Amino acid sequence: MPRHRRGWAMESEGRGRGRHSPLAVSLLEPALLVLLNDQARHGYPLLADLEKMGMGTIHPSVVYRTLRDMEELEWIQSTWDGDETQGPPRRVYRLTERGEEVLKHWREEMKSIRELLSELISRTDNV
């Protein structure tokens, strides 16, 4: 049996259910940028919105690590929201100007990849 990363698509009978594909993980950055472009958010609502998008199988630790990486790249910034009446302060993530530019590049990349995906899907219609 192939190792997990290469064999994820070969799982059958529910064994692979709930796992995310490497393709989904590669779309995490643009998904987060899109969500933060809509509005600033705390981490928990980001996780919920990713799940609504169909990316709910990605572990929260992967999402938070990606947010930290994006902050180091200055694509996003976070501030502490101390105005919460319940619980400890939480980080609020916002898109930066640099992040807006990165999102534009991601958009163009996704448009070109959409054509490739369409081609691959059409070639597997008879599978």
Side-chain angles (χ1 to χ4, degrees):
M1 182 61 125
R3 45 179 230 235
H4 171 69
R5 293 187 132 204
R6 298 242 173 108
W8 71 270
M10 296 178 64
E11 297 291 332
S12 61
E13 300 171 14
R15 285 180 34 210
R17 193 172 291 141
R19 289 187 180 166
H20 55 270
S21 74
L23 182 57
V25 174
S26 69
L27 295 174
L28 181 57
E29 281 182 0
L32 289 168
L33 290 171
V34 165
L35 292 171
L36 293 174
N37 188 53
D38 291 343
Q39 73 180 55
R41 290 177 168 88
H42 296 286
Y44 184 76
L46 277 171
L47 293 171
D49 291 337
L50 286 170
E51 187 168 337
K52 288 176 192 171
M53 291 176 103
M55 300 183 77
T57 59
I58 298 176
H59 195 275
S61 66
V62 175
V63 175
Y64 284 109
R65 184 175 58 235
T66 302
L67 287 167
R68 280 193 309 272
D69 292 345
M70 291 169 59
E71 191 166 18
E72 286 179 16
L73 292 166
E74 299 179 354
W75 297 356
I76 63 172
Q77 66 180 22
S78 67
T79 55
W80 289 101
D81 182 2
D83 294 336
E84 294 294 316
T85 57
Q86 295 176 325
R90 300 184 297 172
R91 285 185 184 267
V92 178
Y93 297 95
R94 290 176 174 74
L95 197 63
T96 63
E97 285 184 33
R98 189 171 190 173
E100 290 172 2
E101 290 299 314
V102 170
L103 181 55
K104 288 177 188 175
H105 290 286
W106 262 114
R107 183 178 189 279
E108 293 306 311
E109 179 69 16
M110 289 186 294
K111 283 170 54 177
S112 67
I113 294 299
R114 176 176 49 192
E115 295 171 16
L116 171 61
L117 288 172
S118 293
E119 174 68 17
L120 293 171
I121 291 167
S122 69
R123 287 179 174 226
T124 58
D125 282 344
N126 61 353
V127 173

